[in-house]
Amino acid sequence: MTRFWLGGYGAAMEGSADGIGLLAGDEQTPTKLSYRGAVTQTASPSWLAQHPTLDVVYAAQEGDAVVQAFRRTGESTLQPVGDPVEAGQYVCHVAVSPTGTYLVASCYGDGRVVRIGIAADGSLVPDAVNRAAELRAALLGEPVETSAPVGVAAAASDPHAGALTATGEERVSHAHAAAFLPDGRIATTDLGFDLVRFWRPTPAGLTLDHEVSLPQGTGPRHMVVHPSGHLHVVTEYSCEVFTLAAGPDGVWRVVSSVLSSPIAEVGVDFPAELARTRDGQFLYTALRGSNTIATLRVRGAGETLEPVALADSGVDWPRHHLVHEGKLLVAGQRSDTVALLDLDERTGAALGIRHVAQAPTPTHLLPVR
């Protein structure tokens, strides 16, 4: 039976989720999904990530600024593993390393990128870093000097120093997502500073390798790594998808960019997630505002994209979506629904809404392994 762990916003984040939920398909009709209730009592677990080898799930508790580990104890039950570990203000994304030895948490509120160690049983290693070392890392973009397998890093430089936001406010760092690259480095986005940062993991934390600056006001949000090795980055403010590639010198550069849809309206539409098919032939981004799903075809060796279709997402404010068994699932934050869309195998386009399930303020979908 098709099942998904469901992240959501609770009362403190103006939502109605009580914790990590379970969304499951009917035994006779797997594509008919229904919400089965909360399986944990967790405040705003807005993003979830699976351990690569253990039956452990990690949740970014956005309103509480912590990350918590949960072990699966039954067919559809989760139990906390250890205590929550501090990350940063409005921690909105977690990504687990392929080795399962640490995770990287991205914090929207204070711009911090946090490396948290993972023990052999999947539990999180508590932060033993003193505040002085933390401050040094944040200011200088250096790893925290400590024997504990936890590190905090945040480059404080703004490539557009002195510039203001569209509303006339001072620009502020907003780390939003992390992705592990084939060469062992880690990419993170900074939506506030229009940066894609590349880090090298060290025993003490993360060391900044280099940065790629996107045009001012684009707002890089989420990423996917293409099978070819290219990195695709969707921007929240300019409705674009940038493609980055590493050169022979190991330095990443922008190789192309395209509007997510020719009719995307900047200032009205705000792309959220970026997802791809398993073979990497198509990408999908959701446009919050018009509440649509844009389909892009990957061209060449992954270096260019072509918008091919735009369809109704079936929800209000599509915050997250994923491709699963030839279908597209879309979490509607404001409509309290999850929509299931059929996909055309040939064109990649969404064909229509097959089913809509009620769910409390959903923000992330994670297949139950």
Side-chain angles (χ1 to χ4, degrees):
M1 183 170 61
T2 304
R3 291 174 300 160
F4 300 89
W5 303 124
L6 197 61
Y9 277 151
M13 299 291 293
E14 300 182 349
S16 56
D18 294 324
I20 299 174
L22 178 67
L23 189 72
D26 184 89
E27 291 185 5
Q28 283 71 41
T29 313
T31 56
K32 186 178 180 180
L33 301 171
S34 62
Y35 182 67
R36 307 299 176 87
V39 299
T40 69
Q41 295 298 309
T42 309
S44 296
S46 62
W47 190 271
L48 309 173
Q50 175 74 52
H51 191 282
T53 58
L54 301 176
D55 229 347
V56 176
V57 171
Y58 302 93
Q61 294 178 229
E62 191 165 341
D64 289 349
V66 299
V67 178
Q68 172 74 70
F70 297 89
R71 180 179 293 112
R72 184 176 165 190
T73 55
E75 193 68 16
S76 57
T77 55
L78 294 171
Q79 292 293 330
V81 182
D83 295 324
V85 172
E86 181 184 354
Q89 185 182 29
Y90 297 129
V91 53
C92 60
H93 187 276
V94 289
V96 183
S97 68
T99 61
T101 54
Y102 66 96
L103 62 77
V104 175
S106 299
C107 305
Y108 181 87
D110 53 25
R112 294 202 300 174
V113 175
V114 186
R115 179 187 185 275
I116 302 175
I118 297 176
D121 66 351
S123 60
L124 297 173
V125 177
D127 188 348
V129 180
N130 63 56
R131 294 302 174 189
E134 224 180 68
L135 179 61
R136 175 180 173 80
L139 293 177
L140 302 181
E142 296 180 350
V144 177
E145 298 298 331
T146 173
S147 58
V150 179
V152 179
S157 60
D158 182 350
H160 306 288
L164 301 178
T165 68
T167 58
E169 299 172 322
E170 182 181 356
R171 288 158 53 93
V172 177
S173 177
H174 293 308
H176 215 299
F180 289 87
L181 305 171
D183 64 6
R185 287 181 291 182
I186 301 153
T188 64
T189 52
D190 191 319
L191 185 147
F193 283 172
D194 299 312
L195 289 173
V196 181
R197 295 193 177 97
F198 295 88
W199 308 86
R200 288 182 287 109
T202 71
L206 300 175
T207 298
L208 185 64
D209 191 278
H210 65 282
E211 300 172 334
V212 174
S213 178
L214 300 187
Q216 181 185 342
T218 51
R221 181 180 170 97
H222 280 193
M223 305 170 282
V224 293
V225 179
H226 191 265
S228 65
H230 289 85
L231 183 67
H232 302 296
V233 183
V234 68
T235 60
E236 182 168 339
Y237 297 145
S238 66
C239 299
E240 294 173 276
V241 181
F242 286 80
T243 299
L244 283 64
D249 56 0
V251 176
W252 287 77
R253 298 175 176 87
V254 174
V255 295
S256 70
S257 64
V258 66
L259 272 175
S260 55
S261 167
I263 60 174
E265 190 173 350
V266 175
V268 174
D269 288 320
F270 300 93
E273 181 60 288
L274 187 65
R276 68 170 174 86
T277 53
R278 184 182 295 273
D279 60 8
Q281 186 176 359
F282 298 102
L283 299 181
Y284 301 92
T285 189
L287 304 179
R288 296 170 297 175
S290 61
N291 293 332
T292 52
I293 294 290
T295 304
L296 301 99
R297 186 191 303 273
V298 181
R299 294 295 193 183
E303 71 275 11
T304 57
L305 304 175
E306 174 193 9
V308 295
L310 191 68
D312 185 357
S313 69
V315 303
D316 184 11
W317 211 249
R319 187 177 183 87
H320 181 252
H321 61 274
L322 57 81
V323 180
H324 183 77
E325 297 181 353
K327 310 291 183 184
L328 190 72
L329 283 91
V330 187
Q333 178 185 338
R334 294 181 178 175
S335 56
D336 292 334
T337 55
V338 174
L340 182 70
L341 280 62
D342 289 317
L343 298 176
D344 187 300
E345 292 184 5
R346 183 179 61 85
T347 67
L351 295 175
I353 302 163
R354 175 180 286 268
H355 178 68
V356 176
Q358 296 294 315
T361 321
T363 59
H364 189 244
L365 292 146
L366 180 69
V368 176
R369 195 170 62 186

